Amino acid sequence: MYAVMFHHFHDDGIIHIKSQGSISENDLDKIIIKYQSLKGVRIIPAKDWYSKFINNSLRKDEICLTFDDGLKCQYEIAHKVLKKHNLTAFFFTPTLRFTGKLENLDIFRHFRFFKFNDIDDFYEKFFMFLKKSTYYEKNNIAKKIKLGNAENYHSEITFYTKNDRIFIFIRDKILSEDEYNEVMYNMMSEYNYNFNDISKKIYLSENDIKDLHNNENIIGLHSHSHNTCMADLSYDEQEYEYSTNKKILEEIIDSRIKTVSYPCNSYNKDTLDIMKKMDIKLGFRANMLSNYNSELEVKRIDHTEVLKEINNENNSIHK
């Protein structure tokens, strides 16, 4: 039992740009067609999958599709592919954007790929920029990268590169949220990047979420602020994140939320206890490790891994 996890999609425009790990409409179509042609695996609509999961009648060959982060590209690109195949999916959505505040995570991502030649070009400039900041010496960044074994950070996520791991380690484990945001906003200013315009174009709107819900897709929790290190928060902080997320989404779709996926796979026992307290019935993690049996820790394979195996004509993607 598992699901396929999607995030970013690109087209030929300047909003949904091609970026690390993003796929096209044709790529998604290829993934669905390939899965549906395999023996021993079948994608089924989200509500059917959820119902069978709850009733303990889900077959081993039945999988579902999930979309994290509440991105506009999922609605404008992926949603029409799903409709073409008469499929629906789970859409896990943060909600800070609906309170008049910015969710920085995907704004920063768009900046990385809009203003730089590729991801390693951004990393090179980021590390240079960071070294010039007051935070480099103040936080002993070079020493902490070495002592913290940053090159192996999130080793369970197989598609991360060495530079990915070091960058994410700095973001998650060395800089405070305010420090990281300041570095990124200073970089964006230096590169003349208008983040206010972009923020209105890369996230799902309330109407998008309502339409997805009305088209039989399942809307689920993904924290309020899209914090990448939820497991580092206290019980009360996590409860606030998820209860706020749940309240806002339920007001948008006028229906109960029963599902969750954990941002960056960051969760702990407190998270699971909070999910049970909130009567969440189904949760997804972000890897394929097999030593989990909880209904709140269903495994998922990332779409980049699936597409890689499809392009290599490897028929074992469902195993």
Side-chain angles (χ1 to χ4, degrees):
M1 175 176 60
Y2 72 100
V4 185
M5 174 177 62
F6 296 90
H7 289 84
H8 297 87
F9 294 84
H10 62 256
D11 54 22
D12 296 327
I14 62 171
I15 301 301
H16 308 319
I17 58 176
K18 189 172 185 178
S19 59
Q20 184 186 32
S22 70
I23 63 174
S24 67
E25 176 183 335
N26 287 338
D27 290 329
L28 178 57
D29 194 55
K30 181 192 293 186
I31 288 173
I32 292 174
I33 291 172
K34 181 65 175 181
Y35 262 115
Q36 302 296 51
S37 70
L38 291 174
K39 293 182 179 179
V41 63
R42 187 167 67 96
I43 305 172
I44 63 174
K47 287 190 174 180
D48 293 346
W49 199 94
Y50 176 81
S51 178
K52 289 189 171 191
F53 177 86
I54 295 301
N55 294 322
N56 201 29
S57 61
L58 194 65
R59 290 165 35 179
K60 288 184 178 180
D61 65 343
E62 293 174 327
I63 66 172
C64 62
L65 306 180
T66 70
F67 297 79
D68 283 7
D69 300 352
L71 303 171
K72 193 81 165 181
C73 62
Q74 297 168 355
Y75 181 75
E76 295 186 342
I77 299 173
H79 182 42
K80 64 181 179 181
V81 180
L82 294 180
K83 290 196 288 187
K84 171 185 170 182
H85 290 280
N86 294 315
L87 286 172
T88 55
F90 294 83
F91 288 82
F92 299 106
T93 307
T95 46
L96 184 65
R97 66 196 71 166
F98 302 121
T99 65
K101 298 179 181 179
L102 291 177
E103 285 173 29
N104 289 320
L105 194 63
D106 282 286
I107 294 172
F108 292 164
R109 179 188 171 88
H110 187 273
F111 167 67
R112 292 201 294 269
F113 294 100
F114 186 69
K115 287 292 187 177
F116 300 90
N117 295 325
D118 55 38
I119 188 62
D120 287 319
D121 181 33
F122 164 76
Y123 287 147
E124 179 183 350
K125 303 298 193 304
F126 173 82
F127 295 143
M128 289 172 57
F129 203 88
L130 185 60
K131 284 181 180 179
K132 295 177 183 178
S133 76
T134 59
Y135 301 127
Y136 194 78
E137 295 297 333
K138 172 188 171 184
N139 290 296
N140 295 314
I141 287 178
K143 182 178 181 180
K144 288 180 179 178
I145 287 173
K146 185 176 181 180
L147 292 177
N149 196 18
E151 293 181 13
N152 291 311
Y153 185 56
H154 276 313
S155 59
E156 77 282 2
I157 302 179
T158 58
F159 52 85
Y160 279 172
T161 66
K162 173 183 173 181
N163 280 340
D164 288 337
R165 298 182 194 283
I166 294 173
F167 170 75
I168 296 170
F169 184 83
I170 292 171
R171 180 194 71 189
D172 290 356
K173 298 300 181 182
I174 300 179
L175 296 176
S176 70
E177 182 178 358
D178 288 341
E179 289 170 344
Y180 171 66
N181 288 345
E182 182 179 328
V183 171
M184 289 299 296
Y185 276 109
N186 287 339
M187 274 192 81
M188 291 193 296
S189 176
E190 184 166 302
Y191 282 87
N192 298 312
Y193 178 81
N194 191 331
F195 55 86
N196 282 313
D197 284 348
I198 294 300
S199 67
K200 300 171 184 175
K201 300 174 182 177
I202 61 174
Y203 294 122
L204 292 177
S205 68
E206 290 190 23
N207 286 336
D208 296 336
I209 294 172
K210 288 176 184 176
D211 190 53
L212 287 170
H213 172 72
N214 291 337
N215 277 278
E216 300 297 306
N217 296 283
I218 293 180
I219 307 300
L221 305 181
H222 202 54
S223 82
H224 178 54
S225 68
H226 208 175
N227 190 303
T228 58
C229 296
M230 291 293 293
D232 292 343
L233 302 184
S234 69
Y235 181 99
D236 288 344
E237 289 170 326
Q238 288 197 56
E239 186 172 38
Y240 171 80
E241 280 280 337
Y242 283 110
S243 62
T244 304
N245 189 204
K246 188 172 188 287
K247 180 178 184 295
I248 292 174
L249 287 177
E250 289 181 343
E251 288 174 352
I252 291 173
I253 66 173
D254 192 26
S255 185
R256 296 290 299 277
I257 300 290
K258 293 289 187 180
T259 64
V260 64
S261 76
Y262 312 107
C264 298
N265 207 49
S266 182
Y267 68 96
N268 55 20
K269 183 179 181 300
D270 282 347
T271 322
L272 299 180
D273 288 343
I274 290 165
M275 292 305 114
K276 292 173 184 176
K277 180 179 178 181
M278 292 169 54
D279 198 31
I280 299 300
K281 302 297 186 183
L282 168 64
F284 291 96
R285 64 182 194 275
N287 60 47
M288 290 290 283
L289 299 179
S290 58
N291 55 331
Y292 299 86
N293 296 309
S294 167
E295 70 279 3
L296 296 173
E297 298 174 280
V298 175
K299 60 187 178 182
R300 292 189 293 176
I301 184 170
D302 189 82
H303 69 264
T304 57
E305 296 293 324
V306 173
L307 196 59
K308 186 190 307 180
E309 295 188 11
I310 286 175
N311 289 334
N312 289 334
E313 296 301 320
N314 184 339
N315 287 331
S316 67
I317 59 176
H318 62 291
K319 295 181 181 178

